[in-house]
Structure formats: structure tokens, C-alpha cells
Amino acid sequence: MKPIWIVDDDPSIRFVLEKALARENLPTRSFTHPREVLDALAAQSAGDTDLPGPQVLVSDIRMPGGTGLQLLEKVHALQPGLPVIIMTAYSDLDSAVSAFQRGAFEYLPKPFDLPKAVELIRRAVQESQREDVAQESQDVAPEMLGQASAMQDVFRAIGRLSQSQVTVLITGESGSGKELVARALHKHSPCAQGPFVAINTAAIPKDLLESELFGHERGAFTGAQTQRRGRFEQAEGGTLFLDEIGDMPFDLQTRLLRVLSDGQFYRVGGHAAVKSHVRVIAATHQNLEQRVRDGAFREDLFHRLNVIRLRLPALRERAEDVPMLTRHFLQVSARQLGVEPKRIDDAALARLGQFAFPGNVRQLENICHWLSVMAPAQVISVQDLPPEVLQSVPQEASILPSSVPAPSAPTAMTVPASVVPEPTPVARAAQVAFPPMAIAASTWELALDAELHSLLASAQGDVWDRLMHRFESRLICAALDATHGRRMEAAQRLGIGRNTITRKIQELGLDAKNSDENTP
């Protein structure tokens, strides 16, 4: 295990932390001045030493030869993912807050409680290990991420199709990553050296779509002053991805069917057939079988496209992938913005896992961009999440996940890519604590659950008392209001004694002006 680097000019601080961390089996390496740390990091980068680099850096804020803030900036320039804990006296609080905003993992006020300091360092070690895993994943440049069984089925299907150029139909909700799958199918196929050309058939006006697909000859229509190659010609020898194929105009479906059947087409205004050697991958969020029954989609074209079908699960069906995707998108967003990657705590991840994500993976990516810009601190907590997440009712699917099987056609080979995801740890706990029939919580219980997560994320030690105070106050006030202040009747409706309700009114500080003390 990599050591914890301790930087402090005070030998007593170094000694205390070294001994405390040694008892926890955490190796350490101590430094007196910031320059020693930078020299050690430089030696690491140059390969001049066999000593391991730091897992976590713990630094004082004021030292001879440099400050902890200056060291923080230089260390993060060399190792952006390294958690840095800044130690400071209470008088240096402003500097500590500044360091926190610049990317410090946390600040540790002096004099500090030793067990709390060790616990903080342990959390930083865990964060460092997660960063290492994320960096390893980033180094291999993953095309797609997903640990859920449903996504693993998709990955296996891509692997099975890697030696084939067969036509594939990808179905799934908007934002679920259909184009990513199409690109992966192209990359891992015999035509990978050819171009990958994508077109959204729903985004192009009907009058222009034919020319976009098949090209046109000079003079074919007003404004056609030169010959133009269409997407089929541009994708020659490669893959043409037809997104939102369910929205293609009916008359153009006939021309597409001819290309798939004959392997040739005519440019708009042209008379010479153009040969086409293109693999076609189509995608839609619609139910094509229903579109066929409604007369909006040609049945023969449907069967031409539906040779192999892959169904992408919605993000709510694979909630266990939310933490991994969130950390990945935060890393991507940080690179795009040129800022330090933000981290997210477990409570915020749990709250995200309860969100239904109607926009699927694309919505999660947008949320991570929003958090990279709008979250005030370097560590994202529950209260930093965007309003659409905080104001939403947690989905019951996080407790009892379910999936709807994809429709299949008898003439097509369907690759299974939809299974029920494993419950989250919170979900498993809920299933143990309550019988299945009691899981369907009402709206107020779900709101209570969201409030509870928010309070627990604040790391305060009085959550029980605060919630019980509010809950009992609401109960008693509602009962008194229903009985027009008659305590005896209110107590009877609540199922408690009069002495109990009187004592609670006093303990909770409720206004009893309207209570009838003399009512038997």
C-alpha cells in the first residue's frame, strides 16, 4: 500500500500522526518542508527512486520555506487525483476554506482529535483508491460503462457480432446510448477500417432527407448546382447508422428497402445505379411493431432491419451503474472545462440512485456537467444536487426493480439484453425490513425518506431527535385541530393517554391556547 505523506515542521505533530497511523496499519513518510515533497515527487516522475508515491498528502498550512496552499497547487498540477488534507489552526479558517475550494480533500483544524484525524485520513485513502480505479479505467479509454447484468448482456452481444456485418436494430429509450452501441458495433467489426456515418432521420426535414441519404445530381432541383454524395456513398465500405428510423417518412422507406434488398440506389435526379457496400445499423425509441400495425412503417422494411435486435435498458433499470457513470462523467466534464475533477459523497450518490432519470444516461451526463460548474465545494453533497433531483419523488424501482421485456419478432434472431438488475444495498435492506406487500410506499413516506437522506448527509448527530420532534408536533397539532383543541378526544384518536399528550405539548413547546384544559 502507498504511504501517507505527512508534511509539517512541527516534529510533535509528525510523531503523533505517524504513531496513530501505524496502529491502523497505514504506512507513512514524513517531510519537514514543502520543497522536500516536491523533490520527492519530481524523483518519482523521473523514475529516480523506487520508493512508492503518496496515497494521501497531509500538510500543514504554514511552514518555513512555503505554505500548504502553494504546495497544494503544485502537487495538484503534478497529481490531480491525489487527496490533500490541509492542517490549520482555528485562526487560519479563511485560508483553510480557500484551500478547500481550490481542491483540498478536507481541512483538519488544530488542535485535532486524533481518532477523528485518523478517520478523515482513512476516508481520503478510500477516495484515493477510487480515483486509482477510475484512472485505470480512463487509461484504457472505455467505450461504454456498465456493471449491471443487462449491460453485460449488451457487451456480450457486441462481442458475438464482432465477426459479422449483419444488420442490427437497436431499441431503447431516448438518451440510453444507442449511438454508442452502434459505434462499438462498427469498431469491433470487419468494416472497422471504413467510415462510420450517422444520420438522425427525425432531425432532417422530409424534403431534404432523400438528398441527404442518397445524394443528388447537378440540376436535380432548384439550388442543386453541383453533384452531391449522400450518406450511403460517404459510408461506403463502413457503417451507416440510421438513428430514429421509426420517424422516417413512409415514401422514403421504400427507397431504403430497395437499397437493403438490391445493394444499389439512384441519386436524386440520377439515372445511373450506384452500388452500395455499407453495413446498416438502425435505432429507434419507438415500438416498430406497433408502428407497423398503425400503417406508419413498412412491415417488409421492419423485417429487413430486424435481423439482430439489441435492447438497451433504461438507466433506472440499472441503478447500480449510476455511481460508476457519475464518477466517469465528472472526470470527463472536468477535462472539458479544464478544472479539477469534483468528487461526490455516498449520500449524494444514493440520492442520485433513487432518481428515475427520464432522460437516461444523457441526463446523468448533463447533471454531472451542471455539478462541475454549479456545486460550490470540491466534494458534492446531497444539497448540491440540481432541483430536478431534489424535488423528485424517489423511484420505487430502486426498491423493487423491474424491467419490461423487449418485443420480439418470430422472423428475427433476438439477442437478450434486458434482465432485472440486482437491488441496491438500500433496496436489499428495505426488502429485509418490510414484507413485499408493504414496499409500495405512499408519497409522504417517500418524501420522508428523501428528507432523512438529506439530514443524514449533513453528518449531524441529532437526526433522530429532530425528526421525532417534527413528527410528534405534526401529529398532536393535527389531532388538536381535528378535535377543536379538546385534548382528551385528541389523545383518544391518537391512541395515547391524556397525560401523555399534555406532557408532549409541554415538551414540544406547542401553543396550547386553544386547548380546553377543563374538557374531561
Side-chain angles (χ1 to χ4, degrees):
M1 180 181 177
K2 295 179 181 178
I4 314 299
W5 284 15
I6 303 169
V7 194
D8 200 312
D9 59 316
D10 186 341
S12 63
I13 295 293
R14 298 197 305 269
F15 177 82
V16 168
L17 285 176
E18 288 169 0
K19 295 302 181 184
L21 293 174
R23 287 194 296 269
E24 300 293 325
N25 296 319
L26 293 173
T28 59
R29 182 180 176 186
S30 295
F31 303 85
T32 306
H33 303 291
R35 173 47 54 191
E36 296 176 356
V37 176
L38 297 175
D39 290 343
L41 289 175
Q44 290 268 326
S45 300
D48 296 336
T49 178
D50 295 330
L51 295 175
Q55 186 87 46
V56 174
L57 178 64
V58 183
S59 173
D60 191 19
I61 199 169
R62 290 190 177 182
M63 294 172 287
T67 68
L69 295 180
Q70 294 169 340
L71 179 61
L72 170 63
E73 293 178 353
K74 294 175 181 178
V75 166
H76 270 192
L78 296 171
Q79 296 191 21
L82 178 66
V84 178
I85 297 174
I86 295 294
M87 295 184 291
T88 174
Y90 286 112
S91 58
D92 290 326
L93 182 58
D94 291 340
S95 297
V97 172
S98 175
F100 187 79
Q101 293 175 341
R102 293 184 197 182
F105 178 78
E106 188 57 271
Y107 70 90
L108 185 61
K110 292 180 179 179
F112 50 78
D113 181 73
L114 197 55
K116 289 184 178 180
V118 172
E119 177 60 28
L120 176 59
I121 292 172
R122 275 203 173 280
R123 286 200 291 113
V125 168
Q126 293 172 356
E127 181 64 29
S128 177
Q129 292 169 345
R130 282 198 295 261
E131 292 288 341
D132 289 342
V133 172
Q135 185 62 43
E136 290 173 5
S137 301
Q138 182 179 325
D139 291 341
V140 298
E143 302 164 72
M144 301 177 67
L145 294 171
Q147 294 178 336
S149 299
M151 286 306 297
Q152 291 299 315
D153 284 346
V154 173
F155 298 160
R156 280 190 286 270
I158 294 173
R160 294 191 195 105
L161 295 169
S162 61
Q163 302 302 317
S164 170
Q165 297 190 56
V166 66
T167 302
V168 178
L169 176 63
I170 306 170
T171 62
E173 297 180 6
S174 296
S176 56
K178 295 187 289 294
E179 183 169 345
L180 284 177
V181 172
R183 289 184 180 275
L185 286 167
H186 169 73
K187 181 179 178 180
H188 302 282
S189 74
C191 58
Q193 299 305 314
F196 177 88
V197 178
I199 181 171
N200 188 325
T201 59
I204 300 175
K206 175 182 177 181
D207 296 339
L208 300 178
L209 183 57
E210 184 178 18
S211 175
E212 282 290 327
L213 283 172
F214 305 109
H216 60 255
E217 298 288 353
R218 179 180 179 182
F221 49 83
T222 302
Q225 299 179 359
T226 60
Q227 185 190 76
R228 183 180 185 280
R229 297 167 65 240
R231 300 300 176 92
F232 267 97
E233 287 182 85
Q234 294 171 19
E236 180 67 21
T239 301
L240 177 62
F241 175 53
L242 301 175
D243 198 8
E244 300 302 347
I245 190 68
D247 294 308
M248 175 175 278
F250 196 85
D251 51 348
L252 279 184
Q253 295 176 24
T254 303
R255 291 207 60 182
L256 176 60
L257 177 63
R258 185 173 297 277
V259 178
L260 296 176
S261 303
D262 302 340
Q264 62 182 23
F265 62 91
Y266 293 86
R267 299 189 189 99
V268 177
H271 303 286
V274 180
K275 289 288 185 180
S276 174
H277 302 90
V278 172
R279 181 192 193 181
V280 172
I281 298 176
T284 182
H285 72 280
Q286 302 190 51
N287 186 329
L288 287 189
E289 287 94 335
Q290 186 60 48
R291 297 278 288 173
V292 169
R293 288 192 290 270
D294 295 341
F297 201 86
R298 293 184 61 103
E299 184 174 7
D300 44 5
L301 176 59
F302 167 73
H303 292 303
R304 280 285 180 181
L305 295 173
N306 193 40
V307 180
I308 300 291
R309 181 185 299 204
L310 291 180
R311 177 186 176 270
L312 279 185
L315 184 54
R316 63 180 174 274
E317 297 176 35
R318 53 184 188 112
E320 60 264 53
D321 285 343
V322 170
M324 176 199 308
L325 291 169
T326 300
R327 294 190 179 101
H328 171 71
F329 288 139
L330 287 175
Q331 292 277 345
V332 171
S333 180
R335 289 198 299 271
Q336 293 175 351
L337 296 171
V339 298
E340 199 66 31
K342 292 189 175 179
R343 300 181 293 276
I344 183 167
D345 65 28
D346 293 339
L349 280 176
R351 187 67 184 88
L352 275 177
Q354 295 174 331
F355 185 53
F357 288 105
N360 290 296
V361 178
R362 184 184 298 125
Q363 185 177 15
L364 175 58
E365 183 177 12
N366 292 339
I367 287 175
C368 290
H369 286 313
W370 187 91
L371 289 169
S372 294
V373 176
M374 301 299 294
Q378 198 64 21
V379 179
I380 299 166
S381 55
V382 171
Q383 57 265 30
D384 298 325
L385 297 176
E388 65 264 28
V389 176
L390 294 177
Q391 296 172 9
S392 66
V393 175
Q395 59 164 343
E396 294 179 22
S398 65
I399 296 178
L400 287 178
S402 62
S403 62
V404 180
S408 59
T411 58
M413 182 176 79
T414 302
V415 179
S418 172
V419 298
V420 178
E422 288 293 324
T424 62
V426 174
R428 285 193 292 269
Q431 290 173 347
V432 172
F434 302 100
M437 294 300 293
I439 293 297
S442 61
T443 301
W444 74 267
E445 289 171 313
L446 294 172
L448 175 62
D449 184 64
E451 176 69 6
L452 178 58
H453 279 292
S454 178
L455 289 174
L456 291 173
S458 65
Q460 299 182 18
D462 61 346
V463 173
W464 177 277
D465 291 337
R466 291 175 64 183
L467 279 182
M468 290 304 296
H469 184 284
R470 291 163 59 183
F471 184 72
E472 290 180 337
S473 296
R474 292 276 183 177
L475 275 178
I476 293 174
C477 287
L480 290 173
D481 182 65
T483 60
H484 305 287
R486 291 188 289 271
R487 292 187 183 180
M488 179 65 77
E489 186 178 348
Q492 289 174 345
R493 294 194 185 186
L494 290 173
I496 60 177
R498 173 171 175 151
N499 291 339
T500 301
I501 196 172
T502 301
R503 176 171 50 82
K504 286 293 183 182
I505 288 174
Q506 294 173 350
E507 291 176 352
L508 298 171
L510 301 177
D511 184 5
K513 291 181 180 180
N514 296 324
S515 298
D516 186 357
E517 294 286 352
N518 298 318
T519 301

